[in-house]
Every structure is written in structure tokens, then in C-alpha cells.
Amino acid sequence: MPVAAAHDGGETYFEVHGEGPAVVLFNADPRPPDHPLRDHAVRFAESMVRGLGDRYRVVLMSYPGRPKDLTFTPDNVSDDMLRVADAAGIDGFAWWGYSFGGVVGMQLALRTERVTALAMTGFPPIGGPYAEMLRYSRALAGVEVDAFGAAIPEEQRAQLPQFATFYEAMAGFDDRAAQPRITCPRLCFVGGEDRITAGTELITDIGGAVERHRAELEALGWSVEVIPGLDHFGATAADVVLPRLSGFLDHHVGPR
């Protein structure tokens, strides 16, 4: 079973499929936990491997594994991602991440030149709602049922406090000032109706933030798309992600 040692002494399970330039898919869990969306997650990972594995070395992972409540910081998470890359035998790699995975990818690209291309879905590269997500993460730690009304398994509830740790460590982070340090090719696409809510309370408008900053992002070198009608979850469908990600990768890092 391929595993990488994590910063806390735990292990990160990962899989590698195909040959060619490496691409790490943070949000394609090859062993998703039991959850109402588990079947969707399994089909998504399988679709991404089928769509990319003929010409890319696709790395999937199950992360974060055991809870890392007090050590789940951007530095340590980035270190864990590089440990996975090392264990998979890859040096440079493209990255795709959705929502929190997009946040991780951007933090990783700020810390290492091994990221050859950065693709984010469901989070704005400028105007990121870090303070809002901190409040949301703290609130989630006390939630027992998910948006579908189903009880959240204890294994997943145990994971929630660490995200507050992550966003606490990002206090004062200026994503606009950080932009010149990201020099690899960059892609951001989100749903036009992408909003994170807690019940009827709006936490943040992801689609609106990307649209507001579109011109600035494009001037900085980002490829940007706001997809009409799609919400936060809808932008993770394989038929949405795969054509956009594969076109981006084929143009910037594909086999020559």
C-alpha cells in the first residue's frame, strides 16, 4: 500500500496512475469515507484517471488522514504534499484543488518551485474569504448533521477542528500581495452561483468574488472562468472539471 509519512507521524495513502508529466489532484480521494456523497467522489476520481491517465502521471491521495488539530497549518500541510510527491517519485507537478484544495495549492505554490501549474476551483485567488472561513470552520466543529440532514460520521466530525487551526494560521495573509510570487501557469474556474452558506446565512460569495477580480487576475496572468448557473458543488462534476483542467494542462505542461 503506497503511503507517505505525514508531519505528525501519521500516513497519507496515495495512488499513482498513468505516465507522463505529473499532476496532483487534491480533491480526488481514491478511498473516500462513508458519506452521502461517497459514490460521487468515487466516480469523480475514476473519471479523472480515465480522462488524464493516458498522458499524465495522476496522483490521488486520501488526506488529511487522522486529525491534526493543533498542527494543521499551511506550512505543515504544504510539507505533507511535498512528502506525497517525494514518495510518489515525482519532482515537479501540476496541481488541481477544489475549495480548500485550491487554498492548499496556492499556499504550496508560494512555498516551492516544484508546482509547474496551478489550477483552482471553488476559491478566489484574490479576495479570498479567509476570515469568513475561519468563522465557518469554528462553527462547523459543533455541527452534527450535514446539508442533507444526515448525521456526520464521527470520523469526519473529528476532522473539523483542524480547519480552524489552518485558517487561524493564515491571519494577516494578503493574497493580492502574494501574487507576484506565483509564477507558474494559473487557472481559476468557479460557478457563478458558488456561495457558501450556513443554513440561510451567507458565509461568502465565491463566484461574485472571482467575477469582481476577474480583470485584475487576468492582468496578472490567470486564466479565469465563471460558469453561469453552477453552485459550489456543481463545479466539481467531472464533466465540468475534466475538459477545463485537461485543456489547461495540455497547453502548459502536456507531453511534448
Side-chain angles (χ1 to χ4, degrees):
M1 182 177 71
V3 295
H7 73 272
D8 65 336
E11 296 179 333
T12 303
Y13 173 79
F14 69 91
E15 295 180 1
V16 181
H17 301 266
E19 295 293 337
V23 54
V24 176
L25 306 180
F26 184 82
N27 295 93
D29 190 340
R31 300 194 311 182
D34 187 21
H35 187 272
L37 297 177
R38 186 181 189 280
D39 289 345
H40 168 84
V42 170
R43 290 193 301 271
F44 178 81
E46 292 173 345
S47 295
M48 298 303 287
V49 169
R50 284 196 304 271
L52 297 172
D54 63 330
R55 59 202 187 282
Y56 294 100
R57 192 174 187 189
V58 180
V59 181
L60 315 178
M61 75 183 81
S62 296
Y63 187 83
R66 73 183 189 187
K68 312 176 196 309
D69 293 0
L70 301 179
T71 64
F72 199 68
T73 64
D75 283 339
N76 285 335
V77 173
S78 295
D79 182 57
D80 284 346
M81 298 302 97
L82 295 179
R83 289 169 182 244
V84 170
D86 289 343
I90 61 176
D91 185 14
F93 54 90
W95 175 277
W96 173 77
Y98 156 75
S99 196
F100 179 71
V103 179
V104 172
M106 187 165 158
Q107 291 300 306
L108 188 59
L110 289 167
R111 287 166 169 77
T112 177
E113 294 182 354
R114 292 173 66 178
V115 178
T116 58
L118 170 63
M120 302 172 59
T121 304
F123 204 89
I126 291 179
Y130 300 103
E132 292 87 344
M133 295 310 299
L134 173 57
R135 291 194 296 271
Y136 184 58
S137 299
R138 286 171 172 165
L140 278 180
V143 173
E144 297 184 1
V145 297
D146 63 19
F148 298 89
I152 301 175
E154 182 59 33
E155 177 184 357
Q156 293 179 43
R157 291 192 64 213
Q159 298 280 355
L160 296 175
Q162 64 194 347
F163 294 99
T165 297
F166 187 94
Y167 287 114
E168 284 169 357
M170 292 196 66
F173 174 66
D174 186 338
D175 53 16
R176 178 176 281 104
Q179 292 299 318
R181 295 161 50 201
I182 306 175
T183 58
C184 63
R186 286 141 285 169
L187 168 68
C188 174
F189 59 94
V190 300
E193 304 303 316
D194 187 338
R195 301 180 182 91
I196 296 177
T197 60
T200 59
E201 179 188 356
L202 175 65
I203 303 300
T204 183
D205 181 356
I206 299 292
V210 173
E211 186 61 60
R212 285 194 303 275
H213 299 293
R214 180 201 290 265
E216 183 178 4
L217 286 166
E218 291 176 342
L220 288 166
W222 287 84
S223 296
V224 179
E225 183 180 5
V226 179
I227 308 167
L230 291 186
D231 60 14
H232 194 62
F233 179 70
T236 65
D239 60 357
V240 173
V241 176
L242 189 55
R244 291 167 172 83
L245 180 59
S246 62
F248 172 70
L249 294 175
D250 290 348
H251 180 70
H252 292 287
V253 300
R256 299 295 185 240

